[in-house]
Amino acid sequence: MAENAAESTPVRSNARVVTGTVVSDRMDKSITVLTERRVQHPVYGKIVRRSSKLHAHDEKNDCRVGDVVTVVECRPISKTKTWRLKSIDERAREV
């Protein structure tokens, strides 16, 4: 019953939604997502890439390393996990 309640809860309208690449799926029901954004350097004006790693909740263990996913901000699930998997946008290529 707890599984259905977590998935059926409405998403806050002001919750942040980001897209990134899965870099780790070794944890149970958790993934690490690398998000990159491009910002202009405040002094030199050059466009630089900034990245951050997010821990997200993956209830069904669907994600694999290399997948492009969308995650949404949610209430804290654990000490570092405050994001939830929304969708898998693109699967990683099989090697």
Side-chain angles (χ1 to χ4, degrees):
M1 184 167 173
E3 294 177 78
N4 296 337
E7 292 179 3
S8 65
T9 55
V11 176
R12 296 184 338 216
S13 62
N14 59 348
R16 292 188 295 169
V17 178
V18 296
T19 302
T21 306
V22 177
V23 293
S24 174
D25 64 343
R26 291 183 177 213
M27 298 172 281
D28 186 34
K29 296 187 178 183
S30 299
I31 55 174
T32 303
V33 180
L34 180 74
T35 61
E36 287 188 346
R37 62 190 194 282
R38 296 171 61 182
V39 296
Q40 189 173 17
H41 191 278
V43 175
Y44 301 114
K46 179 178 178 176
I47 302 295
V48 292
R49 292 189 315 181
R50 298 283 182 214
S51 62
S52 60
K53 285 184 181 179
L54 310 170
H55 294 280
H57 185 65
D58 179 13
E59 182 65 36
K60 299 175 184 170
N61 284 326
D62 286 335
C63 294
R64 297 290 170 252
V65 174
D67 290 351
V68 177
V69 297
T70 300
V71 292
V72 63
E73 193 176 32
C74 67
R75 64 177 180 80
I77 298 170
S78 69
K79 181 180 176 181
T80 59
K81 209 164 46 165
T82 57
W83 296 82
R84 191 179 70 244
L85 178 67
K86 183 177 181 183
S87 64
I88 301 173
D89 301 334
E90 183 180 326
R91 286 286 186 182
R93 293 184 180 167
E94 296 293 327
V95 177

